[in-house]
Amino acid sequence: MQVPATFVIEYLGRKRSIIFANFLNCLYMLVVMFSNNLFNLVTAELLSSLAFGIKETADPALLNESIPPSRYKSKIFAKITQKGISNYYIINAISTVLAGFFYDINPYIPITLSLLITIVVTLISTAFIEPQMKSKKHKIQEFNQITELKDSFKFILKSERLKALILFSAVAVGIMSVLGTYEISLLEDFNMPAKYLCIIFAALGIISGILAKKQEEFHDKFKNKSLCILMGIIGISTIAAGIFGVISKEYQFCILFIIIAYVIRYAYKGIYYPLIEKYLRNFANEKIDTKIFTAKNFLGSILSAGIGVLASFLLDRINISYCMIIIGGLTVIFTIVMSKYMKARVGLKPEEYSKEEIKYDELNQSE
């Protein structure tokens, strides 16, 4: 759905696309609530995929365009993003606990509340302002948009910096998606009650939210090594959780060390997401930003599916603890390889990049 999502954004603009995506989310929940067969559920998932395909591209692009060009634009974008992600993790943690509680009373209560909140979100999005208003009346303009779209993706494919960042982001998203499932499975392997699982992962979400605010400090300290250090620590903590999972079969108290390993992963996960968003939008203006986020989401979805298949293949054959050790080890290997590949491509000063790499930089254009 990322492909049609791109054309929706190009045709409607950022603001109207976000409103449309929120409307699709409302429709998705209604279809789920009144569904009585598999076809309805598949249709609902397609609506949800299109909605999030639009939102994950249009939301950061609209934010990026809403900040005036300046040498501090990247830091402003990062601070707003980290505040949004931080609050998201905290609200998500609270809603996770509440959803579990209400679901026991009636399964329709959580999704009804979700629908009401999404309706409120849709109304809020109507108050957004579109910085770049474009006319869509003439077919010639539509043809020019398609040509511009092709040129933008050609630029992304040629840019060594963007290729490295998008590849890194796509694999990282796939790994974290798998770990989100593995971590629950590992604790369920020890027959941990669902109510305790909710509390643990709610607390982990809050930790991610708190640490998300530290991304600027982390970047200032580690510079262009930041992403690789984050993923390296996540990989090592995953290996540790798997090892303690094996040991816990004999010594139950080691479950505590598994949770500590989770705390480390979620702490650095909180820093990772606002940081990668910041890096991706550097040197980007309204002509290229949606295409960058589209390419990132498109490749991320494909690799998440591929990594998910690998994770399922492993889980079908070996114990979850050993699966985590393998995925953690692959994460560390991936990080080492990418650190060498990214060293001369990411995190350089503007003057160290070629003119082609920064041709969409607003400050560069204004000069």
Side-chain angles (χ1 to χ4, degrees):
M1 285 297 178
Q2 195 64 55
V3 175
T6 306
F7 286 98
V8 169
I9 296 166
E10 287 299 306
Y11 188 78
L12 293 179
R14 278 70 164 174
K15 174 188 171 178
R16 283 181 290 183
S17 295
I18 292 169
I19 296 170
F20 178 61
N22 288 327
F23 171 76
L24 288 177
N25 257 339
C26 295
L27 195 59
Y28 154 69
M29 292 178 200
L30 285 171
V31 174
V32 170
M33 289 170 72
F34 293 100
S35 173
N36 56 13
N37 58 56
L38 182 62
F39 176 77
N40 289 344
L41 290 175
V42 171
T43 303
E45 289 301 323
L46 288 173
L47 290 171
S48 177
S49 295
L50 180 57
F52 280 97
I54 294 170
K55 284 176 64 64
E56 289 174 1
T57 299
D59 284 355
L62 182 64
L63 172 60
N64 184 48
E65 289 175 36
S66 301
I67 304 169
S70 79
R71 59 183 295 190
Y72 302 109
K73 183 171 180 175
S74 179
K75 287 190 175 182
I76 295 169
F77 179 90
K79 284 185 178 180
I80 296 172
T81 302
Q82 76 185 27
K83 188 173 182 180
I85 290 175
S86 175
N87 290 337
Y88 159 75
Y89 280 129
I90 292 169
I91 293 170
N92 184 59
I94 296 168
S95 64
T96 299
V97 174
L98 290 175
F101 172 77
F102 287 126
Y103 189 87
D104 285 340
I105 299 172
N106 187 317
Y108 281 92
I109 295 177
I111 198 165
T112 302
L113 292 173
S114 296
L115 174 61
L116 292 173
I117 290 169
T118 307
I119 291 171
V120 172
V121 169
T122 306
L123 294 174
I124 291 172
S125 62
T126 61
F128 291 166
I129 297 172
E130 176 74 71
Q132 299 291 329
M133 292 300 293
K134 296 178 183 178
S135 174
K136 309 291 177 185
K137 293 180 181 178
H138 305 296
K139 288 188 177 180
I140 295 175
Q141 289 175 319
E142 291 176 15
F143 176 78
N144 289 338
Q145 283 181 354
I146 294 172
T147 304
E148 185 183 295
L149 198 64
K150 288 167 63 178
D151 291 341
S152 298
F153 279 111
K154 283 180 182 177
F155 166 75
I156 291 169
L157 291 173
K158 287 180 181 178
S159 170
E160 293 296 325
R161 185 185 75 89
L162 286 175
K163 280 194 295 187
L165 283 172
I166 289 170
L167 177 61
F168 189 96
S169 171
V171 176
V173 166
I175 290 169
M176 290 189 191
S177 176
V178 165
L179 290 179
T181 304
Y182 269 10
E183 286 162 351
I184 295 172
S185 297
L186 181 58
L187 293 181
E188 284 179 337
D189 204 36
F190 296 103
N191 299 314
M192 185 171 287
K195 61 181 179 181
Y196 293 132
L197 284 175
C198 282
I199 293 169
I200 288 169
F201 284 95
L204 291 172
I206 291 172
I207 289 169
S208 289
I210 293 169
L211 268 294
K213 298 176 182 178
K214 302 293 182 182
Q215 64 85 21
E216 196 66 36
E217 295 175 25
F218 192 89
H219 168 73
D220 290 341
K221 185 174 181 179
F222 296 106
K223 303 298 181 185
N224 61 347
K225 298 177 182 176
S226 298
L227 291 176
C228 290
I229 289 173
L230 284 170
M231 283 307 294
I233 293 171
I234 288 171
I236 292 168
S237 65
T238 302
I239 293 171
I243 292 171
F244 286 122
V246 175
I247 298 172
S248 295
K249 294 293 182 182
E250 295 291 330
Y251 305 98
Q252 287 283 310
F253 71 90
C254 285
I255 293 175
L256 176 63
F257 294 108
I258 295 174
I259 295 171
I260 292 172
Y262 286 5
V263 168
I264 294 170
R265 187 182 90 76
Y266 276 76
Y268 286 95
K269 172 188 169 185
I271 297 172
Y272 169 80
Y273 280 111
L275 201 59
I276 191 68
E277 294 279 323
K278 171 186 172 180
Y279 287 171
L280 283 167
R281 67 133 309 275
N282 280 345
F283 313 124
N285 62 13
E286 76 280 355
K287 291 181 181 178
I288 196 71
D289 53 9
T290 55
K291 290 82 173 180
I292 292 171
F293 292 119
T294 295
K296 187 257 295 187
N297 294 333
F298 181 73
L299 187 59
S301 297
I302 292 172
L303 288 180
S304 287
I307 295 170
V309 170
L310 172 62
S312 299
F313 175 83
L314 291 173
L315 197 56
D316 198 39
R317 285 158 178 77
I318 57 178
N319 182 272
I320 179 65
S321 298
Y322 294 107
C323 290
M324 290 197 74
I325 293 171
I326 293 170
I327 293 295
L330 291 175
T331 302
V332 172
I333 293 169
F334 163 76
T335 303
I336 293 170
V337 172
M338 285 302 297
S339 66
K340 293 181 179 179
Y341 178 70
M342 294 171 69
K343 188 175 182 181
R345 295 173 171 86
V346 177
L348 308 179
K349 295 177 181 178
E351 60 270 18
E352 293 178 310
Y353 287 110
S354 66
K355 288 184 178 180
E356 179 67 18
E357 285 277 8
I358 59 172
K359 73 175 184 178
Y360 289 102
D361 181 26
E362 291 162 318
L363 290 180
N364 186 49
Q365 289 176 337
S366 63
E367 290 172 2

